[in-house]
């Protein structure tokens, strides 16, 4: 697969559960509405692209890709180079109409159907999911330090070679895990961790602004539960980690992105 056009919709924050290659994992939608995973994408490259072009999510790019032979998940590809061509960014006008036309071409509403499709032979590992109801948002304490083996891996990799910065300062370990609790179209409940970069950046921004841990966490919950649930028409971008997908875990998915257009108001005819 060469010069593939991808609408970038996901960039995950690096977590200790990730394998080395997935330190920075990017995913997006193809023009036909199908998902694709791109890794590894060096953090230094992402930062440079953002600096040079203002690149952000929901931007069309063209990139040379090849199917990964070490990953059984059909969506997984690697860049053959980082000569990425940046195209237009889809805006949020008309209730995210243009973004919806690609991101919502295919989506699940049933947990059992998604889990079944994640098994052989389909091995689906990326999907859009429409919950019937979001019932909770939970925050759990996590370690404030990266695991020792991760510290060593990150020192040895070339992901930071173009940046004169300490990796521990560049990617600070967030000492919390964030979860959505939601129901599917049969009322079956799930609790999945949110690994989208956006939620961790929101936490860091709130922590810097308020200089208070409790207030920062309260603001994150207000945004993702109070504001989003009341005002937004939420879809979840789900992805599997290769480790748990290979082990055929009961539910190998995590939330890698939240799609949150404003709810459309239906006006009464009377």
């Amino acid at each position: 697969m060469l010069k593939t056009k991808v609408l970038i919709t996901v960039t995950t924050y690096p977590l200790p559960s990730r394998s080395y290659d997935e330190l920075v994992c990017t995913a997006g939608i193809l023009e036909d509405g199908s998902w694709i995973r791109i890794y590894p994408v060096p953090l230094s490259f992402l930062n440079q692209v953002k600096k040079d072009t203002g690149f952000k999510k929901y931007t069309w790019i063209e990139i040379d890709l090849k199917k990964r032979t070490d990953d059984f998940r059909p969506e997984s590809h690697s860049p053959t180079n980082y000569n990425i061509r940046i195209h237009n960014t889809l805006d949020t006008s008309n209730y995210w109409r243009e973004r919806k036309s690609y991101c919502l071409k295919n989506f699940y509403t049933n947990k059992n159907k998604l889990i079944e499709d994640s098994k052989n032979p389909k091995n689906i590992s990326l999907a859009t999911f429409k919950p019937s109801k979001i019932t909770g948002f939970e925050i759990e304490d996590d370690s404030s330090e990266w695991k020792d083996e991760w510290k060593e891996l990150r020192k040895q990799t070339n992901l930071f070679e173009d940046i004169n910065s300490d990796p521990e300062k560049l990617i600070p370990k967030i000492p919390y895990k964030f979860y959505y609790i939601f129901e599917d179209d049969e009322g079956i409940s799930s609790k999945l961790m949110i690994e989208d970069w956006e939620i961790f950046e929101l936490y860091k921004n709130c922590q810097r602004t308020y200089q208070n841990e409790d207030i920062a966490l309260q603001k994150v919950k207000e945004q993702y539960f109070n504001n989003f649930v009341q005002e937004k028409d939420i879809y979840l971008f789900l992805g599997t980690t290769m480790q748990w997908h290979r082990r055929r875990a009961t539910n190998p998915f995590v939330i890698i992105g939240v799609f949150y257009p404003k709810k459309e108001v239906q006006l009464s005819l009377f």
Side-chain angles (χ1 to χ4, degrees):
M1 182 184 290
L2 295 176
K3 282 301 178 191
T4 305
K5 192 173 181 182
V6 182
L7 180 67
I8 298 299
T9 58
V10 167
T11 304
T12 60
Y13 196 84
L15 293 174
S17 60
R18 292 285 186 188
S19 66
Y20 158 59
D21 275 341
E22 292 183 277
L23 185 58
V24 178
C25 179
T26 302
I29 303 288
L30 302 180
E31 291 179 285
D32 65 359
S34 59
W35 277 94
I36 191 166
R37 175 186 292 105
I38 306 169
Y39 75 94
V41 178
L43 183 62
S44 57
F45 172 78
L46 283 179
N47 284 343
Q48 190 60 46
V49 170
K50 290 179 182 179
K51 178 181 177 182
D52 293 344
T53 67
F55 168 78
K56 52 187 177 180
K57 289 200 301 184
Y58 301 105
T59 295
W60 284 107
I61 69 168
E62 280 187 83
I63 182 171
D64 292 332
L65 296 173
K66 63 179 179 180
K67 179 70 180 72
R68 290 190 69 101
T69 58
D70 60 347
D71 190 334
F72 67 92
R73 298 172 298 177
E75 302 93 344
S76 297
H77 292 72
S78 290
T80 59
N81 58 67
Y82 293 101
N83 298 322
I84 295 180
R85 183 179 177 186
I86 307 294
H87 290 276
N88 61 304
T89 300
L90 304 186
D91 63 29
T92 61
S93 63
N94 197 17
Y95 299 96
W96 294 27
R97 184 70 60 207
E98 197 169 9
R99 294 182 182 186
K100 287 179 179 178
S101 69
Y102 293 99
C103 297
L104 304 185
K105 280 187 177 181
N106 305 294
F107 61 88
Y108 288 84
T109 60
N110 186 272
K111 176 182 178 179
N112 288 333
K113 172 60 176 172
L114 174 60
I115 298 302
E116 187 62 33
D117 284 352
S118 74
K119 300 175 182 178
N120 278 322
K122 290 185 177 181
N123 288 318
I124 293 296
S125 69
L126 289 170
T128 304
F129 193 94
K130 174 61 174 172
S132 63
K133 182 190 304 182
I134 294 180
T135 58
F137 179 88
E138 292 187 3
I139 302 172
E140 295 182 2
D141 291 336
D142 195 14
S143 171
S144 60
E145 299 289 335
W146 294 103
K147 292 181 180 179
D148 289 341
E149 59 265 34
W150 263 69
K151 290 181 180 180
E152 290 305 312
L153 271 176
R154 292 168 64 203
K155 289 176 183 176
Q156 295 167 14
T157 70
N158 65 354
L159 292 176
F160 307 94
E161 63 182 359
D162 297 329
I163 297 180
N164 184 22
S165 178
D166 179 357
E168 297 305 314
K169 294 180 181 178
L170 188 63
I171 310 179
K173 177 69 172 62
I174 305 299
Y176 301 101
K177 294 179 180 179
F178 304 99
Y179 296 85
Y180 261 143
I181 303 170
F182 58 95
E183 295 180 358
D184 73 352
D185 57 7
E186 292 184 332
I188 297 174
S189 183
S190 297
K191 175 183 175 181
L192 295 184
M193 185 163 60
I194 306 171
E195 292 195 6
D196 186 7
W197 201 301
E198 271 189 33
I199 196 168
F200 295 102
E201 287 301 310
L202 174 62
Y203 160 76
K204 289 192 293 184
N205 290 338
C206 291
Q207 208 277 337
R208 282 193 295 267
T209 299
Y210 299 101
Q211 296 294 306
N212 182 293
E213 204 77 354
D214 291 336
I215 295 177
L217 294 174
Q218 177 187 335
K219 293 297 181 181
V220 172
K221 185 171 183 177
E222 284 179 3
Q223 176 73 330
Y224 272 76
F225 191 59
N226 301 63
N227 297 341
F228 278 6
V229 171
Q230 291 175 16
E231 301 174 7
K232 310 295 184 180
D233 185 23
I234 297 178
Y235 293 76
L236 304 175
F237 296 151
L238 306 184
T240 68
T241 58
M242 185 160 58
Q243 175 188 12
W244 291 108
H245 200 159
R246 178 176 282 130
R247 292 183 182 182
R248 303 298 168 181
T250 303
N251 190 345
F253 288 92
V254 294
I255 298 169
I256 56 175
V258 181
F259 188 79
Y260 48 89
K262 190 174 181 179
K263 291 179 179 178
E264 296 189 44
V265 179
Q266 299 295 327
L267 296 178
S268 172
L269 297 177
F270 303 98

